[in-house]
């Protein structure tokens, strides 16, 4: 089995510019709650289930690994996840199942594990190990399973000893979709009927998926509550497309509402009543939001209309700003539709799915009660809408926000203030006094020139800002939306890396719809042995940035010249080679015209030849152009070389010039004779074309007798 792909790394600092309208359409990552359940119900189906558009977050990956450990065969090709299972395949795992930080995984898997013989041990990380499992343990015990954990509240690790279960009627005191799901899953293995009666309807995804798998299930709504009954019966494999996560769609919908002259369509979003309260709030604020329900889901029974497929692929295959391979599956469900059609498999969407269209327009303040948006996940985005509205919006009963990934109540207030609107916390309420945006004093009259360029009035909306999300993914994304709405100018968002846990393709999507985002560009120059490579590698890693070793490009051309018997001094021939060669500077490997030369470019022969090659102005022109193209494609990055701060990127955000005492540099370059290093230094420093010199505005660091960590810390301190 394969559990997919490594987590993409996103930059810690992102610079987002306003001043550009947003347009087009996109798909957000697959819904997390539905993704977990699709994997588990898929594992129970007798045969092979197909799941497209699975969430690319770490939590869902835990469930994917877990169902494999329980005996299902799982394969993830980056677009489609197949789960081959059936009751007789499932068994207690050989070792503990690690649920990471995912409470959903642990609670749902406890229900599943209760159904088969043997012991299943579910473990979690430190934070999950502090979360009580008693509400799940109690009904499972009542059904006949042995469930043990630590202490009265049954903290993980959780040990589930499966048994022959008896159906029960369970009415949880606190409405919880996870407890309901665990009981229903166990109920699939129990004798007789199992029913769960909830006072308040919670997310219905387990019911939806079980119905799709032809389970013997009945659902009855009673007022605000619901009763779900199941009986044991074989399940059919499911072919599902996980609809888009509404809490992620909220960022784009709000962005369309607040960025002047914008219109966006988010396709294939889960639109069930328990998840779309934020849309009602926006409508009440006057937002132009339209829901096209019944729109074909991402795969629309394999119909996959062309526009959707195109947009999905285009978005997902973003420009390397961090869109991971799994992100391709989440964002590019349209592409999955094509694959489905090819394989002749019909896929159903889970629950109500809609395309949501939103347009810029005037917003007015409202009162928002916590019960309208039960998880409060959309509050950061709604706060940005409130910051752009006319009047003061009151968010009532937001206490729970204090215990999210950060103290989100304080963080939202900080963001609103930073962007030029006013926030106040009163007890558990949050008040946001909006700036009114381009709709403020000028009203609709200003709309013709939304950015205020022509009316002499200037920009009246949010202003650009600096904000630290402190690693909270939703705060970072909300800040990006505020930055897009903040008129011309660039906002700086720190702590952006956390976005990788829930929406790795966010930046690629932002660019896809016309937003401008970049990362910092850091130029590191210096002579051989000054520590450039080590330091730039470490700086890139700490900042979540890509790194370009321009020396490797010159070395690759020198290697290719020698390989083809071209004299390195033969300027026209080497120049021709440099212009025509295809060079991939890596990482991981340096490749020139298909030859992997990672090791070969570090030989004595190349050392001797490279300075002459690098002194050739035409070679430099060819390589500098590619270096600039690399930075444009990555939106910035760490670039090391000898002329980066002076010639290639004179406008870099930070320029560093490294040096070290000659004898220390020679010691560090033991692979190269010291007179060779000295000769290269001499040639590099005295050549006419882009000689090695410190840029006037570069910071100089002498790395002699200093640890890499010290040097890196100093460089990072200059970025603060
Ligand atoms: O590893 P070391 O610092 O010795 O050199 P490198 O970065 O691999 O670069 C090898 C050679 O390429 C240098 O000696 C320069 O002649 C040339 N180079 C350059 O001219 N301009 C750059 N931006 C990078 C390297």
């Amino acid at each position: 089995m394969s559990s997919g792909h490594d987590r993409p790394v996103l930059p810690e600092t992102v610079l987002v510019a306003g001043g550009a309208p947003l347009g087009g359409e996109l798909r957000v990552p697959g819904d997390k709650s539905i993704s977990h359940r699709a994997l588990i119900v898929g594992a129970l189906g007798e045969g092979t289930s197909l799941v497209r558009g699975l969430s690319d977050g770490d939590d869902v990956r835990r469930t994917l690994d877990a169902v494999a450990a329980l005996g299902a065969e799982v394969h993830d090709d980056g677009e489609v996840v197949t789960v081959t299972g059936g009751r007789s395949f499932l068994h207690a795992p050989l070792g503990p199942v690690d649920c990471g930080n995912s409470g959903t995984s642990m609670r749902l898997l406890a229900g599943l594990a209760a159904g088969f013989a043997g012991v299943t041990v579910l473990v979690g990380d430190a934070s999950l190990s502090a979360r009580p499992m008693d509400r799940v343990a109690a009904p499972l015990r009542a059904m006949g399973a042995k469930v043990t954990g630590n202490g009265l509240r049954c903290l993980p690790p959780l040990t589930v000893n499966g048994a022959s279960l008896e159906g029960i009627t369970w009415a949880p005191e606190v409405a919880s979709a996870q407890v309901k799901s665990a009981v229903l899953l166990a109920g699939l293995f129990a004798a007789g009927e199992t029913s769960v009666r909830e006072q308040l309807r919670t997310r219905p995804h387990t019911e939806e998926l079980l119905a799709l798998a032809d389970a013997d299930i009945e659902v009855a709504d009673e007022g605000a509550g619901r009763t779900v009954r199941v009986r044991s019966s074989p399940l059919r494999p499911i072919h599902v497309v996980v609809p888009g996560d509404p809490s992620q769609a909220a960022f784009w919908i709000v962005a369309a509402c607040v960025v002047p002259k914008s219109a966006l369509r988010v396709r294939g979003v889960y639109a069930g009543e328990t998840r779309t309260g934020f849309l009602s709030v926006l409508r009440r604020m006057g937002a132009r939001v339209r829901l096209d329900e019944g729109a074909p889901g991402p795969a629309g029974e394999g119909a996959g209309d062309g526009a959707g497929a195109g947009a999905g692929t285009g978005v997902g295959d973003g420009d390397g700003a961090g869109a991971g391979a799994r992100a391709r599956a989440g964002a590019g469900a349209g592409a999955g539709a094509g694959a489905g059609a090819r394989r002749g498999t019909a896929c159903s969407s889970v629950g109500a799915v809609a395309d949501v269209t939103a347009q810029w327009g005037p917003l007015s303040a409202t009162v928002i009660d916590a019960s309208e948006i039960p998880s409060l996940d959309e509050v950061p985005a709604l706060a940005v809408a409130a910051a752009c509205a006319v009047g003061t919006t009151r968010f009532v009963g937001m206490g729970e926000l204090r215990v999210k990934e950060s103290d989100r109540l304080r963080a939202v207030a900080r963001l609103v203030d930073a962007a030029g609107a006013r926030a106040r916390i009163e007890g558990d309420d949050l008040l946001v006094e909006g700036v009114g945006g381009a709709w403020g004093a000028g009203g609709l009259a200003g709309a013709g020139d939304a950015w205020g360029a022509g009316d002499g009035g200037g920009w009246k909306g949010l202003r650009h800002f600096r904000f630290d999300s402190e690693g909270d993914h939703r705060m970072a994304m909300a800040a990006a939306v505020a930055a897009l709405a903040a008129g011309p100018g660039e906002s700086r968002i720190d702590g952006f890396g956390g976005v990788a846990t829930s929406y790795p393709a966010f930046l690629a999507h932002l660019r896809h719809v016309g937003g401008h985002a970049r990362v910092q560009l850091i130029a590191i120059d210096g002579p051989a042995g000054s520590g450039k490579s080590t330091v730039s590698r470490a700086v890139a890693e700490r900042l979540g940035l890509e790194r370009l070793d321009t020396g490797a490009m010159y070395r690759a051309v020198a290697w290719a010249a020698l390989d083809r018997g071209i004299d390195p001094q033969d300027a026209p021939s080497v120049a021709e080679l440099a212009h025509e060669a295809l060079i991939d500077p890596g990482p991981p490997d340096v490749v020139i015209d298909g030859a992997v030369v990672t090791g070969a470019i570090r030989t004595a022969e190349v050392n001797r030849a490279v300075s002459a090659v690098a002194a050739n102005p035409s070679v430099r022109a060819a390589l500098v152009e590619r270096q600039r193209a690399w930075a444009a494609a990555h939106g910035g990055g760490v670039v090391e070389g000898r002329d980066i701060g002076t010639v290639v990127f004179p406008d870099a955000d930070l320029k560093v010039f490294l040096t070290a005492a000659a004898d220390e540099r020679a010691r560090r370059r033991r692979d190269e004779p010291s007179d060779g290093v000295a000769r290269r230094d001499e040639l590099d420093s005295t050549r006419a074309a882009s000689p090695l010199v410190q840029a006037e505005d570069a910071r100089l660091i002498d790395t002699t007798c200093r640890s890499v960590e010290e040097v890196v810390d100093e460089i990072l301190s200059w970025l603060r």
Side-chain angles (χ1 to χ4, degrees):
M1 94 102 217
S2 91
S3 70
H5 312 274
D6 290 337
R7 289 236 60 69
V9 175
L10 286 190
E12 271 307 305
T13 297
V14 170
L15 303 142
V16 179
L22 308 178
E25 58 179 45
L26 45 73
R27 289 182 189 279
V28 293
D31 187 71
K32 229 163 72 155
S33 304
I34 296 173
S35 294
H36 285 291
R37 290 156 172 89
L39 292 170
I40 292 176
V41 173
L44 283 164
E46 306 294 332
T48 298
S49 291
L50 299 185
V51 186
R52 297 183 207 287
L54 197 76
S55 154
D56 45 4
D58 189 61
D59 286 4
V60 169
R61 215 145 53 111
R62 299 289 176 170
T63 296
L64 187 145
D65 288 343
V67 295
L70 296 174
E73 218 178 282
V74 181
H75 182 72
D76 176 3
D77 72 3
E79 268 182 19
V80 182
V81 176
T82 55
V83 185
T84 304
R87 272 182 190 223
S88 53
F89 282 85
L90 299 186
H91 53 73
L94 298 174
V97 172
D98 189 353
C99 299
N101 187 38
S102 175
T104 311
S105 305
M106 187 168 285
R107 297 195 175 105
L108 267 54
L109 291 166
L112 179 66
F116 37 83
V119 177
T120 301
V121 179
L122 301 165
V123 302
D125 68 6
S127 117
L128 179 54
S129 299
R131 282 153 78 179
M133 295 292 144
D134 50 350
R135 287 195 199 130
V136 174
L140 298 179
R141 285 176 189 141
M143 296 174 85
K146 232 178 109 186
V147 184
T148 52
N150 288 326
L152 279 179
R153 298 225 53 194
C154 199
L155 303 183
L158 199 63
T159 304
V160 182
N161 206 333
S164 333
L165 304 179
E166 291 291 330
I168 53 165
T169 296
W170 196 254
E173 271 171 40
V174 181
S176 156
Q178 291 175 5
V179 173
K180 168 177 68 180
S181 303
V183 177
L184 294 176
L185 289 171
L188 295 173
F189 295 85
E193 185 179 272
T194 298
S195 70
V196 180
R197 192 175 305 148
E198 49 186 10
Q199 302 297 323
L200 271 180
R201 277 200 283 286
T202 62
R203 297 177 176 195
H205 309 314
T206 302
E207 299 94 284
E208 289 168 338
L209 282 156
L210 286 175
L212 211 58
D214 267 352
D216 186 350
I217 184 166
E218 273 173 53
V219 178
D221 287 346
E222 299 133 359
R226 158 172 289 189
T227 297
V228 187
R229 296 183 180 80
V230 284
R231 284 174 171 277
S232 175
S233 74
L235 299 192
R236 214 167 56 100
I238 53 173
H239 291 175
V240 291
V241 175
V242 178
D245 186 331
S247 70
Q248 308 284 26
F251 294 108
W252 302 118
I253 293 163
V254 168
C257 294
V258 297
V259 179
K261 297 183 177 173
S262 296
L264 286 177
R265 185 145 83 121
V266 189
R267 305 202 63 205
V269 180
Y270 180 82
E273 53 160 13
T274 53
R275 308 284 302 276
T276 45
F278 72 97
L279 290 175
S280 315
V281 171
L282 282 173
R283 284 215 190 90
R284 214 162 59 227
M285 295 176 81
R288 304 185 200 174
V289 178
R290 207 184 65 225
L291 213 74
D292 293 322
E293 281 196 61
E301 293 290 334
D305 64 286
T313 313
V315 172
D317 287 337
D319 57 9
R326 259 253 57 93
R328 217 162 37 238
R342 274 199 306 280
R343 288 173 210 189
T345 49
C347 276
S348 314
S349 281
V350 183
V353 177
D355 290 348
V356 186
T357 310
Q359 248 184 69
W360 176 57
L363 297 177
S364 53
T366 186
V367 178
I368 303 168
D369 191 80
S371 63
E372 293 183 84
I373 28 175
S375 65
L376 303 186
D377 285 346
E378 295 84 11
V379 172
L382 287 175
V384 176
C388 296
V390 178
T392 300
T393 296
R394 182 181 279 269
F395 294 77
V396 180
M398 297 289 133
E400 278 294 305
L401 277 183
R402 293 199 170 92
V403 293
K404 296 281 182 180
E405 281 83 337
S406 66
D407 177 351
R408 227 176 240 169
L409 187 58
R410 209 176 46 83
V412 169
R414 246 189 330 113
L415 173 62
V416 167
D417 283 335
R422 294 244 289 272
R424 205 166 66 244
I425 297 171
E426 283 180 3
D428 278 352
D429 292 1
L430 171 73
L431 280 81
V432 176
E433 190 185 322
V435 293
W439 300 95
L444 282 169
D449 198 349
W451 299 109
D455 64 8
W459 173 245
K460 297 189 194 74
L462 297 183
R463 58 158 193 251
H464 49 94
F465 56 87
R466 188 172 163 170
F467 178 76
D468 187 349
S469 80
E470 292 168 357
D472 183 332
H473 59 132
R474 290 195 202 275
M475 288 314 307
M477 291 187 278
V481 173
L484 291 169
E490 212 171 51
S491 299
R492 171 173 162 169
I493 305 166
D494 293 311
F496 197 85
V499 171
T501 62
S502 74
Y503 198 162
F506 184 82
L507 275 185
H509 287 191
L510 186 147
R511 295 187 178 119
H512 172 80
V513 297
H516 296 297
R518 66 178 188 93
V519 295
Q520 290 163 315
L521 200 144
I522 299 162
I524 301 186
D525 289 304
S530 58
K532 277 190 321 281
S533 297
T534 315
V535 168
S536 54
R537 208 174 279 127
V539 167
E541 195 175 315
R542 291 268 291 271
L543 296 172
L545 297 180
E546 303 284 335
R547 160 183 165 263
L548 175 64
D549 173 3
T550 60
M553 298 171 79
Y554 289 97
R555 286 175 177 275
V557 172
W559 175 89
L562 295 171
D563 184 60
R564 282 161 218 192
I566 299 172
D567 179 351
Q569 306 285 353
D570 176 355
S573 304
V574 179
E576 192 184 331
L577 191 165
H579 281 274
E580 279 168 14
L582 284 175
I583 306 173
D584 175 356
D589 279 314
V590 183
V591 183
I592 182 160
D593 285 337
V596 177
V597 295
T598 320
I601 60 171
R602 309 277 164 201
T603 59
E605 241 189 321
V606 172
N607 283 342
R608 277 194 300 275
V610 67
S611 288
V613 168
N616 182 330
S618 179
V619 169
R620 301 203 74 81
L623 297 194
V624 166
E625 188 187 322
R626 289 172 205 196
Q627 291 155 14
R628 290 186 180 141
W630 179 95
H634 290 77
V638 177
V639 185
E640 63 160 294
R642 279 167 170 72
D643 58 341
I644 309 305
T646 48
V647 175
V648 189
F649 300 113
D651 296 327
D653 294 280
L654 175 67
K655 300 178 188 179
V656 178
F657 193 88
L658 296 183
T659 155
D663 56 339
E664 173 138 349
R665 294 201 289 113
R667 217 174 17 253
R668 289 178 187 164
R669 300 304 306 253
R670 262 178 303 234
D671 57 321
E672 194 175 352
S674 60
D675 55 343
V677 174
R679 193 178 136 269
R680 225 152 39 83
D681 280 356
E682 168 76 14
L683 287 171
D684 291 345
S685 309
T686 55
R687 68 185 176 216
S690 317
L692 166 69
V693 284
Q694 181 186 344
E696 258 176 36
D697 50 351
R699 306 253 197 171
L700 177 71
I701 308 189
D702 185 337
T703 65
T704 317
C705 301
R706 294 189 67 186
S707 73
V708 176
E709 203 167 56
E710 255 174 68
V711 173
V712 171
D713 283 344
E714 186 164 358
I715 292 174
L716 296 184
S717 76
W718 292 329
L719 282 167
R720 264 173 222 130

